[in-house]
Amino acid sequence: EKGQWTFLSNHGRVFIYIAKHPKSTTEAISREVGLTQRGVQKIITELEAAGYITRRREGRCNLYTIRPELPMRHQLERDHAVGDL
């Protein structure tokens, strides 16, 4: 609905989806998270560059591994690990 807001950013949503579905395609992630595939690819690249996820090819899909022990990025949230999501 228009005007609805949520607590998590798109990065958080993609991270959570990958944590629950480590063999996802960017197509599936984009459909479930509500972003374009290009947007999801950009977020995955940023999460990977920051060390929050790693990916390796497995057939036609990627296999993602998350680093749940890493801290959240915002200064007010750094006391919490991303795995707390």
Side-chain angles (χ1 to χ4, degrees), residues 16-82:
I16 289 170
Y17 190 83
I18 286 172
K20 291 180 179 180
H21 308 278
K23 289 187 175 184
S24 298
T25 62
T26 54
E27 180 182 357
I29 297 168
S30 68
R31 184 175 53 249
E32 294 299 319
V33 175
L35 298 171
T36 64
Q37 274 188 265
R38 188 148 179 89
V40 167
Q41 289 167 344
K42 183 176 186 284
I43 288 171
I44 288 171
T45 298
E46 291 172 352
L47 289 171
E48 189 174 27
Y52 286 92
I53 65 171
T54 58
R55 62 180 154 171
R56 67 179 166 85
R57 289 298 282 175
E58 196 171 87
R60 292 181 59 213
C61 297
N62 287 312
L63 176 62
Y64 297 98
T65 304
I66 63 162
R67 299 274 314 276
E69 74 281 3
L70 293 179
M72 291 190 199
R73 292 172 58 99
H74 192 277
Q75 64 186 9
L76 294 175
E77 301 158 349
R78 287 191 184 131
D79 296 355
H80 300 279
V82 290

